[in-house]
């Protein structure tokens, strides 16, 4: 990637250089055993601790729970940001936001709203799979992922023609794109060619709506009008009505949220059973970020970088090659999805990438043509330490008149958070002892703070520069959609 001049840097890069660890790319690609089809399912705003296959007590994902029994579940998967464009661009490019360039949210300005595009010079997962012979089909449901913003790169077909489609509508769009690609017999024909299908569901994103019978059995009052019913409220209404959040309000919001997760699970079950994927279909299920229900004084996402908005589910399932039930309790990143999928598909990743393949953590290597027969890890490293420990980095640039870069780094059990353009107070948490980030240890552990800062600065020097910034001026329709999602005020 060509290095640009300092004029290309955003305030985010000037005020707080993101630490980026470049992972070594595999030049040798597996020659046999690639999956017939690859299905990537991303569920918008799905936090890891509300997913039942990830340990949540409520049965929010019964269908996915069944699929996960023959898959690999990464218990500590992280998004690099708490906002959709940044995280999804990182998933598709294996680059941190300040390297792929979709790094800020300028549309919060009232004058001249715009959004950075995913630059065409950056290579995406879809482009790599297309070059490897896969037909590529993308079905987004979030307007921040529309084709005009660069996210259609590498897709043969890309469709989002319904505003905020629910799971049922996303399935209808998916069927139509499959029919266009494979004809009326698409239910069987799609399995006879190499296909990469990406489906993005948006149901758990606010405004939250009740899905029955879940709500009926847990909070039936949410189905009726009452003064503080959060159903249908956007983020601004929720904030005015419920912050600071009291127990009843938190419970109501989470009942609605969980019901929408179940609706997504039901929708995926319907589509999956219709398409009847065989064992030689590689399935990846994850999210772009989580959601906050007042844990740190906010609602929604794209505001903070705490665990509730960064921890996401990640499940990889390929029955033809992955055997056993794996629960891997080692921190990984959405940046790792691209190199992992490409290695399993027999395609080399582009250069540079900042994620790394998770195949070694799954107990095997497809390069030798043998099945990946990984064993449960239970939080313990595999013999031979297949992947070296590494720090993970997180960023969020809010834009607007009061622009601020929020940064964070996790290394081992420690996590440091700070505002990139503020040299004042930092926050330090020991996540193994304090997973809810309640006790700030920065004052008591200055050496840990210093070490994490040094890690940040050291890795900054290894960062590839981003491509030149490209922006799209938003139309009134764009702004209305952003307002409906809660990103632009009334």
């Amino acid at each position: 990637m060509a290095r640009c001049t300092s004029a290309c840097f955003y305030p985010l890069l000037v005020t707080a250089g993101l630490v980026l660890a470049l992972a070594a790319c595999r030049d040798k690609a597996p020659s046999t055993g690639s999956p017939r089809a690859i299905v990537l399912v991303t569920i918008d705003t799905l936090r890891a601790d509300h997913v039942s296959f990830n340990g949540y007590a409520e049965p929010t994902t019964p269908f996915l729970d069944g699929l996960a029994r023959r898959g690999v579940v990464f218990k500590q998967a992280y998004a690099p940001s708490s906002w959709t464009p940044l995280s999804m661009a990182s998933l598709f490019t294996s680059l941190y936001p300040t390297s792929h360039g979709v790094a800020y949210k300028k549309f919060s300005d009232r004058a001249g709203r715009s959004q950075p595009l995913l630059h065409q010079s950056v290579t995406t997962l879809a482009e790599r799979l297309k070059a490897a012979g896969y037909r590529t089909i993308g079905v987004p449901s979030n307007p921040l992922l529309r084709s005009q913003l660069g996210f259609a790169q590498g897709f043969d077909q890309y469709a989002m023609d319904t505003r905020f489609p629910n799971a049922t509508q996303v399935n209808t769009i998916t069927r139509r794109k499959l029919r266009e690609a494979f004809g009326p017999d698409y239910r069987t024909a799609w399995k006879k060619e190499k296909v990469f299908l990406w489906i993005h569901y948006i149901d758990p994103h606010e405004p939250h709506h009740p899905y029955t019978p879940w709500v009926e059995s847990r909070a039936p009052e949410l189905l009726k009008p009452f003064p503080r019913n959060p159903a249908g409220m956007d983020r601004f209404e929720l904030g005015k009505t419920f912050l600071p959040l009291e127990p009843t309000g938190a419970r109501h919001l989470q009942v609605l949220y969980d019901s929408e997760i179940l609706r997504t699970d039901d929708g995926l079950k319907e589509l999956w059973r219709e398409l009847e994927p065989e064992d030689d279909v590689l399935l990846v299920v994850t999210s772009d970020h989580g959601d906050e229900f007042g844990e740190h004084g906010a609602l929604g996402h794209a505001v903070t970088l705490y665990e509730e908005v960064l921890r996401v589910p990640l499940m990889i399932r390929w029955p033809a090659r992955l055997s056993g039930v794996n629960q891997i309790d080692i921190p990984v990143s959405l940046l790792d999805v691209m190199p992992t999928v490409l290695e399993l598909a027999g395609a080399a990743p582009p250069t540079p990438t900042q994620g790394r393949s998770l195949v070694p953590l799954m107990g095997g290597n497809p390069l030798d043509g043998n099945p990946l027969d990984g064993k449960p890890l239970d939080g313990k490293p595999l013999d031979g330490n297949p992947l070296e420990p590494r720090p993970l980095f997180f960023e969020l640039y809010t834009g607007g008149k009061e622009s601020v870069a929020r940064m964070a780094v996790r290394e081992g059990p420690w996590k440091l958070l700070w505002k990139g353009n503020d040299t004042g107070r930092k926050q330090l948490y020991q996540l193994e002892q304090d997973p809810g980030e309640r006790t700030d240890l920065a004052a008591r552990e200055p050496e840990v703070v210093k070490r994490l800062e040094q890690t940040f600065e050291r890795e900054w020097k290894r960062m590839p520069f981003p491509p030149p910034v490209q922006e799209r001026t938003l139309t009134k329709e764009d702004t209305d959609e952003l307002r409906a999602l809660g990103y632009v005020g009334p």
Side-chain angles (χ1 to χ4, degrees):
M1 181 184 297
R3 292 184 178 272
C4 65
T5 65
S6 60
C8 296
F9 285 91
Y10 323 124
L12 173 60
L13 303 180
V14 174
T15 57
L18 176 66
V19 186
L20 297 173
L22 288 174
C25 299
R26 293 179 182 266
D27 293 327
K28 182 181 179 182
S31 58
T32 62
S34 60
R36 169 61 63 184
I38 301 169
V39 179
L40 170 64
V41 175
T42 51
I43 303 173
D44 210 297
T45 322
L46 180 59
R47 52 189 279 177
D49 61 357
H50 277 248
V51 175
S52 47
F53 73 72
N54 228 43
Y56 188 42
E58 292 279 6
T60 52
T61 54
F63 175 68
L64 285 173
D65 295 350
L67 295 183
R69 293 188 187 102
R70 296 184 68 189
V72 181
V73 175
F74 294 87
K75 304 285 286 186
Q76 293 194 66
Y78 281 88
S81 183
S82 60
W83 187 45
T84 301
L86 281 69
S87 288
M88 290 303 300
S90 290
L91 185 154
F92 277 117
T93 65
S94 191
L95 296 171
Y96 280 103
T98 50
S99 283
H100 60 57
V102 185
Y104 62 93
K105 192 168 67 171
K106 189 176 178 180
F107 58 67
S108 59
D109 291 330
R110 289 196 170 275
R113 292 189 177 102
S114 61
Q115 180 178 335
L117 312 183
L118 181 58
H119 199 278
Q120 61 184 4
S121 67
V122 180
T123 304
T124 68
L125 173 61
E127 288 176 302
R128 217 58 170 181
L129 289 174
K130 183 175 181 179
Y134 284 83
R135 183 178 297 210
T136 54
I137 302 172
V139 184
S141 56
N142 188 321
L144 296 175
L145 302 174
R146 71 185 74 208
S147 59
Q148 297 94 323
L149 297 173
F151 285 93
Q153 291 177 208
F155 284 100
D156 297 311
Q157 295 171 286
Y158 199 83
M160 190 193 80
D161 55 7
T162 302
R163 185 177 180 183
F164 311 123
N166 60 32
T168 300
Q169 294 168 321
V170 167
N171 288 348
T172 299
I173 298 170
T174 302
R175 293 186 190 98
R176 191 184 74 246
K177 302 314 292 183
L178 289 171
R179 187 180 296 108
E180 291 173 1
F182 302 107
D185 193 28
Y186 67 90
R187 291 176 180 83
T188 57
W190 82 279
K191 292 176 286 189
K192 298 177 181 179
E193 297 187 31
K194 296 177 70 173
V195 180
F196 170 53
L197 173 63
W198 167 48
I199 308 172
H200 186 86
Y201 292 100
I202 198 172
D203 298 67
H205 197 291
E206 75 269 5
H208 300 300
H209 301 284
Y211 181 57
T212 58
W214 180 278
V215 172
E216 289 176 327
S217 63
R218 289 163 175 80
E221 63 271 21
L222 291 171
L223 298 174
K224 303 175 183 179
F226 65 95
R228 288 169 58 85
N229 187 340
M233 288 187 181
D234 63 28
R235 187 180 308 179
F236 296 98
E237 293 176 295
L238 290 172
K240 291 177 182 178
T241 306
F242 293 100
L243 288 179
L245 198 59
E246 40 79 27
T248 299
R251 175 176 172 270
H252 280 161
L253 279 172
Q254 293 186 54
V255 167
L256 291 171
Y257 177 71
D258 288 347
S259 82
E260 293 176 311
I261 298 173
L262 181 62
R263 175 167 57 188
T264 306
D265 187 80
D266 282 346
L268 182 58
K269 176 177 67 175
E270 175 193 3
L271 184 64
W272 197 255
R273 290 181 175 176
E274 178 185 345
L275 297 179
E276 297 181 335
E278 299 168 353
D279 284 352
D280 201 22
V281 173
L282 171 63
L283 171 68
V284 179
V285 179
T286 189
S287 177
D288 52 352
H289 54 73
D291 219 26
E292 187 173 349
F293 295 105
E295 292 90 343
H296 290 89
L299 291 173
H301 50 273
V303 179
T304 72
L305 291 176
Y306 293 106
E307 294 289 280
E308 54 266 22
V309 291
L310 293 180
R311 290 279 297 276
V312 295
L314 177 59
M315 185 256 288
I316 298 176
R317 182 183 189 270
W318 186 16
R321 299 289 300 282
L322 292 168
S323 61
V325 178
N326 294 276
Q327 299 285 331
I328 298 180
D329 199 22
I330 295 172
V332 300
S333 171
L334 287 186
L335 277 73
D336 302 329
V337 170
M338 179 187 192
T340 302
V341 170
L342 290 178
E343 180 167 337
L344 294 176
T351 301
T353 57
Q354 294 163 296
R356 60 187 181 183
S357 173
L358 301 177
V359 168
L361 282 182
M362 295 189 282
N365 192 325
L367 296 174
D368 56 14
N370 296 323
L372 304 177
D373 53 354
K375 304 301 181 184
L377 296 182
D378 297 326
K380 300 178 181 179
L382 288 172
D383 294 339
N385 191 18
L387 293 179
E388 291 296 324
R390 56 156 181 187
L392 297 178
F393 309 100
F394 316 96
E395 59 180 303
L396 177 67
Y397 179 66
T398 59
K401 293 181 179 179
E402 298 181 2
S403 61
V404 59
R406 298 187 184 275
M407 316 296 291
V409 54
R410 173 174 178 173
E411 188 170 35
W414 295 101
K415 181 179 174 186
L416 181 68
L417 301 93
W418 70 97
K419 293 181 180 180
N421 59 354
D422 184 355
T423 58
R425 178 172 170 266
K426 295 178 173 64
Q427 296 173 297
L428 178 71
Y429 299 100
Q430 215 284 6
L431 295 178
E432 292 179 356
Q433 301 172 3
D434 181 23
E437 297 168 296
R438 298 298 182 187
T439 305
D440 180 6
L441 301 176
R444 289 162 47 184
E445 300 285 352
E447 291 302 315
V448 177
V449 172
K450 182 178 179 180
R451 187 183 78 238
L452 291 178
E453 289 178 318
Q454 290 174 340
T455 297
F456 187 98
E457 295 301 328
R458 180 183 68 247
E459 298 298 337
W460 163 257
K461 297 177 182 179
R462 303 169 63 180
M463 181 192 109
F465 286 149
V469 179
Q470 290 182 325
E471 295 180 338
R472 176 176 184 261
T473 300
L474 302 181
T475 65
K476 181 181 183 302
E477 180 181 1
D478 295 336
T479 304
D480 290 342
E481 290 179 340
L482 293 169
R483 183 175 294 110
L485 285 172
Y487 294 123
V488 175

